[in-house]
Amino acid sequence: MTDVVIPLSKKYAAHDKTFDKVVLREPSYAEIFGEGLGRPQEWQRAGDGTMVMVTYPSVVNEYLTRIVVEPGYDCILQLKTLDALKLERAVCDFFWDMTASKTPSTSSSSASAGRRRKSKE
């Protein structure tokens, strides 16, 4: 995969750099598995039996410390909310193809099986 360019909502200036985009590289096997960062998101069952996607901000940040190509990690620390959320989405998107095919079924048999397992614990 090539680098991903995330256009920002405005120009920023930090550490003698002016930038209006952030360039990210794809996380490596070593980062995902060797360093144990894992996936920044996962499906979890809510109390009512529905499935929700949970995002781990600390994992997103750990990836960003490693994969920001330009302008550098130190420069992105001042990003406003909208632009920070664009970076979060970009990091999670690297993993989306892997998790999309594993999205839990929402059929009634799957949901009831989940509740049955939970009640035995």
Side-chain angles (χ1 to χ4, degrees), residues 22-74:
V22 175
V23 179
L24 304 178
R25 66 167 176 78
E26 184 176 7
S28 68
Y29 176 93
E31 292 159 338
I32 299 166
F33 299 104
E35 296 175 26
L37 293 180
R39 296 180 183 178
Q41 293 180 312
E42 69 178 358
W43 287 102
Q44 291 186 3
R45 188 170 305 280
D48 64 359
T50 60
M51 298 301 290
V52 294
M53 178 67 76
V54 176
T55 301
Y56 301 106
S58 61
V59 176
V60 170
N61 185 61
E62 284 299 317
Y63 277 112
L64 288 171
T65 65
R66 294 161 171 80
I67 68 172
V68 173
V69 175
E70 292 177 27
Y73 176 77
D74 289 343

Side-chain angles (χ1 to χ4, degrees), residues 85-102:
L85 292 174
K86 286 180 181 181
L87 292 185
E88 175 190 57
R89 171 63 16 225
V91 169
C92 293
D93 282 350
F94 284 119
F95 297 85
W96 187 249
D97 285 341
M98 290 186 288
T99 59
S101 63
K102 298 185 190 269

